[in-house]
Amino acid sequence: DTPLETIRAASILPMRRPVGLTRLIELPGECFAYTCPGSGSLRASPGPLAEQGEQMHLWALELGLDYPKLSHFNPTLGAELTVPEASSEGLIVLAKWYTFLFAHDDLAVDHDEASAETLSADVAVYEGMLLGNLPPRELAIGAMLVDCVDHARRLGPATEAFERSVSAYLRAGVEELCDRGGNQSIEEYHRLRNIAGAVESSFELAFVCMDIELPESWREHPAYRQIAAAAGRHICVANDLLSLPKELGFEGHQNFVVLYREALELPSYRETYAEIAQHVLVPAALEMHAGFAELVAAAASGELGLGPGSSVAEAVALARRVGAMFITWVDGHLLWEEGSRRHRSPLEQAA
């Protein structure tokens, strides 16, 4: 029998150069370079879709949405960096999903006229379209979501968990808009952001696109929940760190950096960024690796299995794939930021 310590050590991904993204942060009265730490992943290199940044803009255009900014995000690059193990068809589904998310976020959530009422109305239309109760082209952004979900269903693996998480994501966005401008705690912000930030739904879609049928018992295991929560926390906080310069001018927008600075009464954003890196992002990366080790150990001990006729070796292989997906997604997210024009200032975008 393999000692538990050996299993845990063996489950940790080989460390390449630790992925980190350095960005010039320009805020009112402050300007400093900041390196957002990653976790160190197995693979983070773009493939053949990476140069097709216009592809999803054209897809959206076909469905009735003319939004050239979509090509700046390069969602095809994002798909290849966040879920490199996806099938070729799965990468296209992921790119569609990321394109929908950006369009929905920019055009239905993050603008001056957005409210819980307007977003709730849009969500009702999306849900009606998904159920087939409304025409498939009733609303362009909804048409993008319907096409993405239909494409995911054709991949083969069950999509029920993904579709449940999509519904939760849409409704959490309305809840978040209701809370905008209120006194939200850091704990509540993390809870809601993981859902409203589409992190959980993106993870579930990653499994579909990797042809993984994850047993429900695995999702409920403490090790899995630890990895998923830590990965979601890292992604959402890193996103807020990089988007703060753009979002400070948006009235009522809540950002983790602002909440953290106020909660700890820190004197500057420079100090806040450093504190968040040390006390939030690095611990999240360590929690992911520790949870990964525990997940592999649970599979190796037989605590987590795949049902009748399956072997322990198959369960361990799945545990490794699942853990690697979360960690690769975290670092792929940072590399995507580096390789696209997301969250850049107008000057940086023109460069």
Side-chain angles (χ1 to χ4, degrees):
D1 292 337
T2 307
L4 181 60
E5 291 75 16
T6 304
I7 295 171
R8 287 174 171 163
S11 71
I12 303 301
L13 289 173
M15 292 287 285
R16 284 189 167 188
R17 172 184 64 85
V19 174
L21 171 62
T22 300
R23 179 70 54 82
L24 182 66
I25 304 296
E26 297 181 89
L27 301 167
E30 294 187 64
C31 181
F32 53 92
Y34 174 72
T35 299
C36 189
S39 65
S41 67
L42 265 178
R43 173 185 169 188
S45 55
L49 284 180
E51 297 179 0
Q52 300 180 24
E54 290 293 326
Q55 180 180 349
M56 291 299 105
H57 173 214
L58 296 175
W59 169 69
L61 196 60
E62 289 175 3
L63 294 174
L65 180 68
D66 186 6
Y67 192 45
K69 188 179 176 182
L70 290 173
S71 61
H72 296 176
F73 299 138
N74 201 346
T76 49
L77 172 66
E80 293 207 315
L81 289 174
T82 54
V83 194
E85 208 187 319
S87 64
S88 56
E89 219 31 47
L91 289 172
I92 295 172
V93 173
L94 287 161
K96 286 181 175 181
W97 172 244
Y98 298 157
T99 303
F100 159 73
L101 292 179
F102 291 134
H104 173 69
D105 193 52
D106 275 13
L107 302 176
V109 181
D110 276 346
H111 64 84
D112 291 333
E113 297 178 4
S115 67
E117 290 74 21
T118 60
L119 183 57
S120 184
D122 286 343
V123 167
V125 174
Y126 296 168
E127 292 178 334
M129 294 170 71
L130 285 168
L131 292 171
N133 297 332
L134 291 173
R137 297 292 183 95
E138 180 74 13
L139 192 64
I141 300 177
M144 294 163 66
L145 175 59
V146 171
D147 186 82
C148 174
V149 172
D150 284 346
H151 199 163
R153 289 169 177 162
R154 296 195 300 272
L155 291 179
T159 60
E160 286 86 351
F162 167 60
E163 293 185 47
R164 285 197 306 269
S165 68
V166 170
S167 180
Y169 153 68
L170 294 172
R171 294 181 181 280
V174 176
E175 183 181 348
E176 200 171 51
L177 269 181
C178 289
D179 289 343
R180 183 168 284 176
N183 295 318
Q184 195 176 43
S185 70
I186 288 176
E187 292 74 17
E188 178 64 12
Y189 184 79
H190 279 316
R191 182 197 69 79
L192 197 55
R193 267 282 84 195
N194 254 17
I195 306 172
V199 176
E200 291 184 7
S201 45
S202 294
F203 291 157
E204 289 294 349
L205 183 58
F207 291 139
V208 174
C209 295
M210 291 168 64
D211 196 22
I212 288 178
E213 296 269 7
L214 193 67
E216 201 60 38
S217 59
W218 285 51
R219 290 185 177 88
E220 296 170 0
H221 192 274
Y224 177 91
R225 289 160 65 181
Q226 177 176 325
I227 306 170
R233 187 162 65 253
H234 194 294
I235 291 163
C236 292
V237 171
N239 189 77
D240 277 8
L241 286 163
L242 298 168
S243 65
L244 180 64
K246 182 187 76 171
E247 293 172 351
L248 273 182
F250 185 77
E251 185 177 353
H253 191 95
Q254 288 185 317
N255 183 293
F256 178 79
V257 184
V258 176
L259 289 176
Y260 197 86
R261 183 184 179 187
E262 291 175 351
L264 272 66
E265 299 182 346
L266 296 171
S268 68
Y269 278 116
R270 179 195 293 268
E271 188 170 345
T272 305
Y273 272 62
E275 285 284 322
I276 289 174
Q278 181 179 354
H279 297 294
V280 180
L281 295 184
V282 171
L286 294 174
E287 285 179 35
M288 276 188 288
H289 282 282
F292 185 9
E294 294 290 346
L295 192 71
V296 173
S301 69
E303 181 184 352
L304 285 176
L306 299 176
S310 64
S311 67
V312 169
E314 289 173 320
V316 169
L318 178 61
R320 289 181 181 277
R321 290 184 71 199
V322 168
M325 185 281 291
F326 285 112
I327 294 174
T328 302
W329 216 111
V330 165
D331 283 344
H333 169 245
L334 292 183
L335 290 167
W336 184 11
E337 287 278 357
E338 189 174 35
S340 71
R341 285 180 278 177
R342 298 184 63 224
H343 301 145
R344 301 292 184 93
S345 69
L347 183 62
E348 287 179 302
Q349 288 194 21

